[in-house]
């Protein structure tokens, strides 16, 4: 079998998948922290608060892509199969989203509604 048909090969799509899942997790994490800490939005927030929000938003995506790259190298060397790579990556993604309380699309919609309500109650 070729590497392409074996599950490896072009990693661009896989990287985009892990970035997307990471940004979903980052949205959940940063939104929950902003609402819980009542961080002011816009010009009222400090530089530290802005850096915290950006780090929480981008951090999970960076983490998932890093894990993916590490496991991908293992699979390319033959330490385990590509099926095990995908199983491990989906297990990590499900664990991250579950720990953040994102068990379904409804949870994501509820979080977006909470963000909208928080944004509307804050003074401009």
């Amino acid at each position: 079998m070729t590497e392409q048909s074996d599950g490896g090969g072009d990693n661009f799509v896989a990287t985009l998948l892990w970035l997307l899942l990471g940004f979903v997790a980052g949205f959940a994490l940063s939104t929950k922290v902003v609402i819980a800490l009542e961080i002011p939005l816009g010009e009222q927030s400090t530089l530290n608060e802005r850096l915290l929000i950006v780090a929480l938003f981008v951090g999970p995506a960076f983490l998932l892509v890093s894990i993916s790259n590490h496991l991908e190298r293992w699979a390319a060397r033959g330490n385990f199969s590509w099926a095990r790579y995908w199983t491990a990556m989906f297990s990590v993604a499900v664990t991250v989203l579950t720990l953040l309380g994102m068990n379904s699309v409804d949870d994501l919609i509820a979080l977006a509604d909470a963000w909208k309500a928080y944004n509307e109650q804050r003074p401009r």
Side-chain angles (χ1 to χ4, degrees):
M1 277 194 193
T2 66
E3 187 179 5
Q4 188 72 11
S5 65
D6 201 18
D10 185 19
N11 303 325
F12 181 72
V13 175
T15 301
L16 286 179
L17 173 70
W18 303 125
L19 280 174
L20 176 68
L21 287 173
F23 285 136
V24 168
F27 169 73
L29 185 59
S30 60
T31 300
K32 288 182 178 194
V33 169
V34 166
I35 291 172
L37 297 179
E38 296 183 356
I39 295 176
L41 302 174
E43 296 177 7
Q44 302 98 346
S45 62
T46 66
L47 178 62
N48 289 342
E49 292 168 337
R50 290 178 187 182
L51 289 175
L52 174 68
I53 294 168
V54 169
L56 291 174
F57 185 76
V58 176
F62 176 75
L63 181 66
L64 280 177
V65 170
S66 297
I67 293 170
S68 171
N69 289 339
H70 181 73
L71 292 177
E72 185 179 299
R73 284 193 302 270
W74 279 25
R77 282 188 294 208
N79 291 359
F80 55 76
S81 67
W82 285 102
R84 184 172 285 184
Y85 162 81
W86 285 107
T87 302
M89 284 308 300
F90 279 115
S91 298
V92 168
V94 167
T95 303
V96 167
L97 292 174
T98 301
L99 287 174
L100 292 173
M102 299 290 105
N103 298 321
S104 67
V105 176
D106 291 337
D107 294 331
L108 191 61
I109 292 170
L111 188 62
D113 289 341
W115 175 258
K116 182 180 175 186
Y118 176 77
N119 195 19
E120 289 173 353
Q121 81 177 12
R122 302 305 297 171
R124 300 273 177 218

